[in-house]
Amino acid sequence: MAAAALDKSVPEKLPQPLDATAEQPPLLDGTTKLYTCYTCPFAQRVWITRNFKGLQDEIKLVPLILQNRPAWYAEKVYPPNKVPSLEHNGKIIGESLDLIKYLESNFQGPSLLPKDPAKKEFAEELFSYTDKFNGTVFTAFKGDVAKQAGPAFDHLENALHKFDDGPFFLGQEFSLVDIAYIPFVERFYIFLSEVFKYDVTAGRPKLAAWIEAVNKIEAYKQTKPDPKELVEFYKKRFLA
């Protein structure tokens, strides 16, 4: 079945982000809450997973303004003071890759991990590469983008050939692997094109087809950042 047909996301009105002046929502009151930030790629991973599995009613979004975050978040909710974190079953857990796997294991909805052993093994390989991928590209912002970041995008292009019966990393199945990468690849795609005139899809047809396919997933489209705001934010953060 096509990935878009499995997508259980529904339109929703997003709550206003909370800043340092906001009151803390009730803690450990039996409500499942995803503490997030609408512009954070790590938090976006969990947001996409929540949407795709149709958990909008089950998992409440608690968005924070990270530049002016409430003191109660670190003091009472999640001491690492990062997003995302999830309040569920009387506990708070964090780390985006752990959380997308947690949603897969503990909530209903379409499966986002394959049963096939070879695909499972490859999925774990790709999960373990995410930090290196992101770090390589971020470092390249200060150097020769094509030379330094190119091999990282080549790695993804090659990975997309592994199961090439479909546009996604694991073939026809949209999965947690796609969710792990798309928030970062999309940001890099926009920023590198706008600022460095470097097209990450040039000479990488599989990567181009993958980006196009993921952009048809409603659960993802609902979470996308504004491109202009993204470019300005990255300029200030990485090029100032």
Side-chain angles (χ1 to χ4, degrees), residues 24-146:
Q24 181 184 354
L27 184 65
L28 304 179
D29 62 347
T31 307
T32 302
K33 303 181 189 77
L34 174 60
Y35 294 88
T36 187
C37 170
Y38 294 143
T39 58
C40 172
F42 293 98
Q44 190 182 358
R45 288 168 166 171
V46 192
W47 189 10
I48 298 165
T49 307
R50 163 194 179 264
N51 290 3
F52 192 87
K53 294 179 83 67
L55 301 171
Q56 282 101 327
D57 290 336
E58 198 168 339
I59 301 176
K60 178 184 176 184
L61 294 178
V62 182
L64 307 178
I65 296 176
L66 296 186
Q67 292 81 0
N68 188 25
R69 71 193 77 184
W72 49 254
Y73 183 62
E75 290 169 2
K76 299 178 180 177
V77 180
Y78 190 56
N81 204 22
K82 302 184 297 182
V83 292
S85 68
L86 185 76
E87 177 182 331
H88 182 239
N89 280 352
K91 61 184 178 181
I92 310 284
I93 52 177
E95 298 299 329
S96 62
L97 291 180
D98 292 340
L99 284 177
I100 61 176
K101 294 176 183 178
Y102 184 86
L103 292 194
E104 174 69 10
S105 300
N106 291 276
F107 291 86
Q108 298 297 314
S111 176
L112 282 163
L113 278 178
K115 293 183 173 61
D116 177 79
K119 290 185 176 181
K120 273 187 177 179
E121 183 180 355
F122 192 55
E124 288 302 324
E125 284 180 30
L126 289 171
F127 287 139
S128 67
Y129 179 67
T130 56
D131 286 347
K132 182 177 180 181
F133 171 75
N134 295 335
T136 299
V137 180
F138 279 126
T139 301
F141 291 173
K142 297 280 190 180
D144 184 329
V145 167

Side-chain angles (χ1 to χ4, degrees), residues 210-227:
W210 175 74
I211 292 172
E212 183 180 350
V214 177
N215 270 288
K216 292 176 182 173
I217 304 289
E218 192 63 35
Y220 167 62
K221 288 197 288 185
Q222 293 169 350
T223 70
K224 290 180 67 170
D226 178 273

Side-chain angles (χ1 to χ4, degrees), residues 138-177:
F138 279 126
T139 301
F141 291 173
K142 297 280 190 180
D144 184 329
V145 167
K147 186 176 180 180
Q148 291 176 250
F153 291 106
D154 290 340
H155 188 102
L156 298 193
E157 175 72 13
N158 292 334
L160 286 160
H161 282 269
K162 174 89 170 177
F163 300 104
D164 60 1
D165 57 328
F168 303 111
F169 279 108
L170 303 182
Q172 295 179 13
E173 308 162 70
F174 180 70
S175 74
L176 294 183
V177 178

